[in-house]
Amino acid sequence: MRASRAGAAAVIDHQSISMKKISLTVIGLYLGILAAFSQPKPDSVYQSRKLKIEEINLVSSYYHQEGDHAAVTGGIGSQKLTDISNSLEIKLNRYDKKYRKQTWSLDLGIDHYTSASSDKIDPKTLTSASYADTRVYPTLAFSRENEKKGTEFGVGASFSAEYDYTSIGVNGHFSKKTKNRMGEFSAKAQVYLDQIHLIYPMELRDGASPEKLKTGSDARNSFSGTFSWSQIVNQRLQLMFLLDLVQQTGYLSLPFNRTYFDDGSVHVERLPDSRFKLPLGFRANYFVGDHLVLRGYYRYYMDNWGLKAHTASLETAIKVSPFFSVSPFYRYYRQTAVDYFRPYAAHKAGQDYYTSNYDLSEFNSHFFGSGIRLAPPAGVFGIKHFNSLELRYGHYTRSNTLQSNIISLHLKYK
Amino acid sequence: MKPILLTLLTGGLLTMILPACTNVKEYQKSRLNDAEMVLGNRKIEKTELSFQSYREGASGANAGKSGGGCGCN
């Protein structure tokens, strides 16, 4: 009897110890899981500091235009031009020791165009070297965001090269959010130092021009300051105000643009060597109900060449489903001519500056079209990292005969 | 339109809008954070903005490039 009681006590003790072990194990596991979620292990912190791909963007476009006012031929002649452009952007990010987000962005763009008017620099040839050209433009940017403070600063550098033109650009920006994260001020400074190779119309070379022409190449420099304020108004509306101050100096004409005077003489286009531009912009995005987003934009522009312009656009993104939207858009633009513009053979002798470039004439334009955007949660076509696909078509028509079509594709991997 | 008038208009607009702003918490920003609500140009508009700045006399104030480059053709 005593033996059996002792045996039973031993079993109970053993069970009790086992229960304690299980309880401790469960508590240990629970604490382990809690610890895993409450604070990252040193290893995971280390991993987050590694540079990783945030997203990859590929944008391709096909652009074609037709018109009858080519500047190369003095405001008459075909403006037929085709341009194929591709750009690949890779964005990488990491967190530094102070948990600030660092973003690196590398963008490589390549454009290839054929232009009927450039072909007329030398009118005697059927198809000259200037008929087609390729532009390559890499860009590198770095930014650091302090999410706690709501600040961001960044720097960037760019380069662009084509046959007769090179451009080197540097920029820096800073932005700060308000305490309640409802508003954000942003400032950006940009400098572009360009070199233009002076290629004149064939018949005006070797001292044949009425004016003395510089040879070799010349500089064109652009300095700009961009300031913006974005503001959240409520859960559906946000606004942005933009102001640019742009100063350009140097050779601002194009050496191969002809200007015909009323006395029958032909000259190389001549424009002032300084231009100050002042564009002011306003954006408003409004989410209507659950399926419609309105994106509005207005810009007023003026410069010291006498050009004033208004731009207004509205895009409506119709969300057919949370992952598929259709976006018809319309843009209206109107500008006055620069003080130095006259049509073909309308310039008079004695003028300091003259151009027959219809891009600087008085006109209005309409641009309309539509886009689609596909961003399913499982990835486009079921491919996990294929985040979104966008396709967009637009038709552009200008009141002085120019018409163009553009189709663009954007693929995003994330 | 004179720039001074435009500045006054912008200032007036801001004066009307800012007091109307309600405080939106992070968890209430689902609509504002929607991809279609991005303030600024989208990547697919890159070539459109480029050809517009070449074919038109005005440029800038659209958070894009506002100088440099040729646009010769």
PDB file of all heavy atoms in Angstrom, chain A residues 333-353:
ATOM      1  N   TYR A 333      -3.370  74.195 -74.922  1.00  0.00           N
ATOM      2  CA  TYR A 333      -2.206  75.076 -74.787  1.00  0.00           C
ATOM      3  C   TYR A 333      -2.344  76.249 -75.747  1.00  0.00           C
ATOM      4  O   TYR A 333      -2.814  76.075 -76.879  1.00  0.00           O
ATOM      5  CB  TYR A 333      -0.935  74.267 -75.101  1.00  0.00           C
ATOM      6  CG  TYR A 333       0.322  75.095 -75.134  1.00  0.00           C
ATOM      7  CD1 TYR A 333       1.014  75.406 -73.965  1.00  0.00           C
ATOM      8  CD2 TYR A 333       0.830  75.582 -76.334  1.00  0.00           C
ATOM      9  CE1 TYR A 333       2.168  76.172 -73.994  1.00  0.00           C
ATOM     10  CE2 TYR A 333       1.982  76.353 -76.372  1.00  0.00           C
ATOM     11  CZ  TYR A 333       2.641  76.640 -75.195  1.00  0.00           C
ATOM     12  OH  TYR A 333       3.784  77.396 -75.223  1.00  0.00           O
ATOM     13  N   ARG A 334      -1.962  77.429 -75.291  1.00  0.00           N
ATOM     14  CA  ARG A 334      -2.025  78.617 -76.147  1.00  0.00           C
ATOM     15  C   ARG A 334      -0.813  79.490 -75.846  1.00  0.00           C
ATOM     16  O   ARG A 334      -0.468  79.679 -74.682  1.00  0.00           O
ATOM     17  CB  ARG A 334      -3.312  79.396 -75.848  1.00  0.00           C
ATOM     18  CG  ARG A 334      -3.514  80.628 -76.708  1.00  0.00           C
ATOM     19  CD  ARG A 334      -4.959  81.069 -76.618  1.00  0.00           C
ATOM     20  NE  ARG A 334      -5.326  81.544 -75.288  1.00  0.00           N
ATOM     21  CZ  ARG A 334      -5.239  82.811 -74.896  1.00  0.00           C
ATOM     22  NH1 ARG A 334      -4.770  83.735 -75.710  1.00  0.00           N
ATOM     23  NH2 ARG A 334      -5.621  83.164 -73.692  1.00  0.00           N
ATOM     24  N   GLN A 335      -0.164  79.977 -76.893  1.00  0.00           N
ATOM     25  CA  GLN A 335       0.979  80.874 -76.663  1.00  0.00           C
ATOM     26  C   GLN A 335       0.961  82.055 -77.637  1.00  0.00           C
ATOM     27  O   GLN A 335       0.410  81.960 -78.737  1.00  0.00           O
ATOM     28  CB  GLN A 335       2.308  80.104 -76.788  1.00  0.00           C
ATOM     29  CG  GLN A 335       2.731  79.776 -78.214  1.00  0.00           C
ATOM     30  CD  GLN A 335       4.122  79.136 -78.279  1.00  0.00           C
ATOM     31  OE1 GLN A 335       4.479  78.310 -77.451  1.00  0.00           O
ATOM     32  NE2 GLN A 335       4.905  79.516 -79.287  1.00  0.00           N
ATOM     33  N   THR A 336       1.596  83.147 -77.218  1.00  0.00           N
ATOM     34  CA  THR A 336       1.813  84.279 -78.114  1.00  0.00           C
ATOM     35  C   THR A 336       3.194  84.092 -78.746  1.00  0.00           C
ATOM     36  O   THR A 336       3.995  83.292 -78.254  1.00  0.00           O
ATOM     37  CB  THR A 336       1.776  85.612 -77.345  1.00  0.00           C
ATOM     38  OG1 THR A 336       2.822  85.583 -76.365  1.00  0.00           O
ATOM     39  CG2 THR A 336       0.444  85.827 -76.643  1.00  0.00           C
ATOM     40  N   ALA A 337       3.471  84.830 -79.796  1.00  0.00           N
ATOM     41  CA  ALA A 337       4.774  84.695 -80.475  1.00  0.00           C
ATOM     42  C   ALA A 337       5.858  85.458 -79.711  1.00  0.00           C
ATOM     43  O   ALA A 337       5.564  86.404 -78.979  1.00  0.00           O
ATOM     44  CB  ALA A 337       4.665  85.245 -81.891  1.00  0.00           C
ATOM     45  N   VAL A 338       7.104  85.047 -79.901  1.00  0.00           N
ATOM     46  CA  VAL A 338       8.213  85.851 -79.363  1.00  0.00           C
ATOM     47  C   VAL A 338       8.317  87.121 -80.223  1.00  0.00           C
ATOM     48  O   VAL A 338       7.842  87.149 -81.364  1.00  0.00           O
ATOM     49  CB  VAL A 338       9.558  85.078 -79.367  1.00  0.00           C
ATOM     50  CG1 VAL A 338       9.519  83.879 -78.446  1.00  0.00           C
ATOM     51  CG2 VAL A 338       9.971  84.678 -80.773  1.00  0.00           C
ATOM     52  N   ASP A 339       8.941  88.144 -79.679  1.00  0.00           N
ATOM     53  CA  ASP A 339       9.032  89.433 -80.378  1.00  0.00           C
ATOM     54  C   ASP A 339       9.790  89.340 -81.703  1.00  0.00           C
ATOM     55  O   ASP A 339       9.648  90.208 -82.557  1.00  0.00           O
ATOM     56  CB  ASP A 339       9.746  90.462 -79.482  1.00  0.00           C
ATOM     57  CG  ASP A 339       8.969  90.706 -78.200  1.00  0.00           C
ATOM     58  OD1 ASP A 339       7.745  90.450 -78.200  1.00  0.00           O
ATOM     59  OD2 ASP A 339       9.580  91.146 -77.204  1.00  0.00           O
ATOM     60  N   TYR A 340      10.599  88.319 -81.856  1.00  0.00           N
ATOM     61  CA  TYR A 340      11.508  88.235 -83.015  1.00  0.00           C
ATOM     62  C   TYR A 340      10.989  87.320 -84.127  1.00  0.00           C
ATOM     63  O   TYR A 340      11.699  87.048 -85.086  1.00  0.00           O
ATOM     64  CB  TYR A 340      12.887  87.748 -82.541  1.00  0.00           C
ATOM     65  CG  TYR A 340      13.244  88.294 -81.190  1.00  0.00           C
ATOM     66  CD1 TYR A 340      13.304  87.484 -80.059  1.00  0.00           C
ATOM     67  CD2 TYR A 340      13.477  89.664 -81.033  1.00  0.00           C
ATOM     68  CE1 TYR A 340      13.596  88.007 -78.806  1.00  0.00           C
ATOM     69  CE2 TYR A 340      13.764  90.199 -79.776  1.00  0.00           C
ATOM     70  CZ  TYR A 340      13.816  89.364 -78.674  1.00  0.00           C
ATOM     71  OH  TYR A 340      14.091  89.889 -77.444  1.00  0.00           O
ATOM     72  N   PHE A 341       9.771  86.820 -83.987  1.00  0.00           N
ATOM     73  CA  PHE A 341       9.245  85.890 -84.996  1.00  0.00           C
ATOM     74  C   PHE A 341       8.532  86.611 -86.138  1.00  0.00           C
ATOM     75  O   PHE A 341       7.740  87.520 -85.915  1.00  0.00           O
ATOM     76  CB  PHE A 341       8.268  84.888 -84.353  1.00  0.00           C
ATOM     77  CG  PHE A 341       7.610  84.003 -85.375  1.00  0.00           C
ATOM     78  CD1 PHE A 341       8.254  82.869 -85.846  1.00  0.00           C
ATOM     79  CD2 PHE A 341       6.362  84.330 -85.924  1.00  0.00           C
ATOM     80  CE1 PHE A 341       7.684  82.076 -86.823  1.00  0.00           C
ATOM     81  CE2 PHE A 341       5.782  83.535 -86.904  1.00  0.00           C
ATOM     82  CZ  PHE A 341       6.443  82.415 -87.356  1.00  0.00           C
ATOM     83  N   ARG A 342       8.846  86.190 -87.345  1.00  0.00           N
ATOM     84  CA  ARG A 342       8.077  86.577 -88.542  1.00  0.00           C
ATOM     85  C   ARG A 342       8.041  85.355 -89.440  1.00  0.00           C
ATOM     86  O   ARG A 342       8.979  84.560 -89.443  1.00  0.00           O
ATOM     87  CB  ARG A 342       8.756  87.724 -89.312  1.00  0.00           C
ATOM     88  CG  ARG A 342       8.894  89.039 -88.557  1.00  0.00           C
ATOM     89  CD  ARG A 342       7.568  89.817 -88.444  1.00  0.00           C
ATOM     90  NE  ARG A 342       7.772  91.074 -87.762  1.00  0.00           N
ATOM     91  CZ  ARG A 342       7.891  91.221 -86.447  1.00  0.00           C
ATOM     92  NH1 ARG A 342       7.832  90.166 -85.647  1.00  0.00           N
ATOM     93  NH2 ARG A 342       8.070  92.412 -85.905  1.00  0.00           N
ATOM     94  N   PRO A 343       6.986  85.206 -90.228  1.00  0.00           N
ATOM     95  CA  PRO A 343       6.938  84.050 -91.134  1.00  0.00           C
ATOM     96  C   PRO A 343       7.974  84.159 -92.264  1.00  0.00           C
ATOM     97  O   PRO A 343       8.731  85.124 -92.316  1.00  0.00           O
ATOM     98  CB  PRO A 343       5.522  84.080 -91.698  1.00  0.00           C
ATOM     99  CG  PRO A 343       4.822  85.209 -91.064  1.00  0.00           C
ATOM    100  CD  PRO A 343       5.794  86.037 -90.315  1.00  0.00           C
ATOM    101  N   TYR A 344       7.938  83.205 -93.150  1.00  0.00           N
ATOM    102  CA  TYR A 344       8.862  83.133 -94.294  1.00  0.00           C
ATOM    103  C   TYR A 344       8.860  84.443 -95.096  1.00  0.00           C
ATOM    104  O   TYR A 344       7.805  84.959 -95.447  1.00  0.00           O
ATOM    105  CB  TYR A 344       8.443  81.961 -95.196  1.00  0.00           C
ATOM    106  CG  TYR A 344       9.246  81.822 -96.458  1.00  0.00           C
ATOM    107  CD1 TYR A 344      10.504  81.227 -96.430  1.00  0.00           C
ATOM    108  CD2 TYR A 344       8.747  82.282 -97.673  1.00  0.00           C
ATOM    109  CE1 TYR A 344      11.247  81.098 -97.591  1.00  0.00           C
ATOM    110  CE2 TYR A 344       9.476  82.150 -98.846  1.00  0.00           C
ATOM    111  CZ  TYR A 344      10.733  81.561 -98.799  1.00  0.00           C
ATOM    112  OH  TYR A 344      11.468  81.433 -99.938  1.00  0.00           O
ATOM    113  N   ALA A 345      10.036  84.982 -95.331  1.00  0.00           N
ATOM    114  CA  ALA A 345      10.239  86.182 -96.165  1.00  0.00           C
ATOM    115  C   ALA A 345       9.504  87.420 -95.661  1.00  0.00           C
ATOM    116  O   ALA A 345       9.119  88.291 -96.434  1.00  0.00           O
ATOM    117  CB  ALA A 345       9.842  85.881 -97.609  1.00  0.00           C
ATOM    118  N   ALA A 346       9.287  87.519 -94.375  1.00  0.00           N
ATOM    119  CA  ALA A 346       8.591  88.694 -93.831  1.00  0.00           C
ATOM    120  C   ALA A 346       9.504  89.566 -92.968  1.00  0.00           C
ATOM    121  O   ALA A 346       9.092  90.649 -92.542  1.00  0.00           O
ATOM    122  CB  ALA A 346       7.377  88.240 -93.018  1.00  0.00           C
ATOM    123  N   HIS A 347      10.711  89.104 -92.692  1.00  0.00           N
ATOM    124  CA  HIS A 347      11.656  89.907 -91.907  1.00  0.00           C
ATOM    125  C   HIS A 347      12.212  91.053 -92.750  1.00  0.00           C
ATOM    126  O   HIS A 347      12.422  90.892 -93.955  1.00  0.00           O
ATOM    127  CB  HIS A 347      12.806  89.029 -91.411  1.00  0.00           C
ATOM    128  CG  HIS A 347      12.445  88.194 -90.222  1.00  0.00           C
ATOM    129  ND1 HIS A 347      12.331  88.704 -88.949  1.00  0.00           N
ATOM    130  CD2 HIS A 347      12.164  86.868 -90.119  1.00  0.00           C
ATOM    131  CE1 HIS A 347      12.001  87.738 -88.117  1.00  0.00           C
ATOM    132  NE2 HIS A 347      11.884  86.613 -88.799  1.00  0.00           N
ATOM    133  N   LYS A 348      12.469  92.178 -92.076  1.00  0.00           N
ATOM    134  CA  LYS A 348      13.020  93.343 -92.781  1.00  0.00           C
ATOM    135  C   LYS A 348      14.468  93.559 -92.358  1.00  0.00           C
ATOM    136  O   LYS A 348      14.835  93.244 -91.214  1.00  0.00           O
ATOM    137  CB  LYS A 348      12.188  94.577 -92.451  1.00  0.00           C
ATOM    138  CG  LYS A 348      10.767  94.467 -93.005  1.00  0.00           C
ATOM    139  CD  LYS A 348      10.011  95.752 -92.866  1.00  0.00           C
ATOM    140  CE  LYS A 348       8.569  95.608 -93.319  1.00  0.00           C
ATOM    141  NZ  LYS A 348       8.384  95.056 -94.656  1.00  0.00           N
ATOM    142  N   ALA A 349      15.250  94.074 -93.244  1.00  0.00           N
ATOM    143  CA  ALA A 349      16.656  94.353 -92.947  1.00  0.00           C
ATOM    144  C   ALA A 349      16.753  95.373 -91.808  1.00  0.00           C
ATOM    145  O   ALA A 349      15.872  96.233 -91.659  1.00  0.00           O
ATOM    146  CB  ALA A 349      17.339  94.888 -94.196  1.00  0.00           C
ATOM    147  N   GLY A 350      17.783  95.266 -91.005  1.00  0.00           N
ATOM    148  CA  GLY A 350      17.976  96.210 -89.908  1.00  0.00           C
ATOM    149  C   GLY A 350      17.528  95.662 -88.557  1.00  0.00           C
ATOM    150  O   GLY A 350      17.753  96.310 -87.532  1.00  0.00           O
ATOM    151  N   GLN A 351      16.898  94.512 -88.550  1.00  0.00           N
ATOM    152  CA  GLN A 351      16.465  93.925 -87.272  1.00  0.00           C
ATOM    153  C   GLN A 351      17.668  93.280 -86.580  1.00  0.00           C
ATOM    154  O   GLN A 351      18.516  92.672 -87.232  1.00  0.00           O
ATOM    155  CB  GLN A 351      15.405  92.850 -87.525  1.00  0.00           C
ATOM    156  CG  GLN A 351      14.059  93.399 -87.965  1.00  0.00           C
ATOM    157  CD  GLN A 351      13.092  92.267 -88.264  1.00  0.00           C
ATOM    158  OE1 GLN A 351      13.130  91.653 -89.322  1.00  0.00           O
ATOM    159  NE2 GLN A 351      12.241  91.967 -87.317  1.00  0.00           N
ATOM    160  N   ASP A 352      17.713  93.394 -85.238  1.00  0.00           N
ATOM    161  CA  ASP A 352      18.811  92.778 -84.491  1.00  0.00           C
ATOM    162  C   ASP A 352      18.623  91.265 -84.371  1.00  0.00           C
ATOM    163  O   ASP A 352      19.576  90.494 -84.425  1.00  0.00           O
ATOM    164  CB  ASP A 352      18.893  93.380 -83.080  1.00  0.00           C
ATOM    165  CG  ASP A 352      19.418  94.804 -83.121  1.00  0.00           C
ATOM    166  OD1 ASP A 352      20.161  95.122 -84.067  1.00  0.00           O
ATOM    167  OD2 ASP A 352      19.065  95.595 -82.220  1.00  0.00           O
ATOM    168  N   TYR A 353      17.374  90.873 -84.150  1.00  0.00           N
ATOM    169  CA  TYR A 353      17.091  89.449 -83.936  1.00  0.00           C
ATOM    170  C   TYR A 353      15.954  89.004 -84.843  1.00  0.00           C
ATOM    171  O   TYR A 353      15.010  89.764 -85.071  1.00  0.00           O
ATOM    172  CB  TYR A 353      16.716  89.195 -82.465  1.00  0.00           C
ATOM    173  CG  TYR A 353      17.784  89.665 -81.513  1.00  0.00           C
ATOM    174  CD1 TYR A 353      17.569  90.794 -80.696  1.00  0.00           C
ATOM    175  CD2 TYR A 353      19.009  89.016 -81.438  1.00  0.00           C
ATOM    176  CE1 TYR A 353      18.564  91.240 -79.827  1.00  0.00           C
ATOM    177  CE2 TYR A 353      20.008  89.457 -80.576  1.00  0.00           C
ATOM    178  CZ  TYR A 353      19.775  90.570 -79.777  1.00  0.00           C
ATOM    179  OH  TYR A 353      20.756  91.011 -78.937  1.00  0.00           O
TER     180      TYR A 353
END
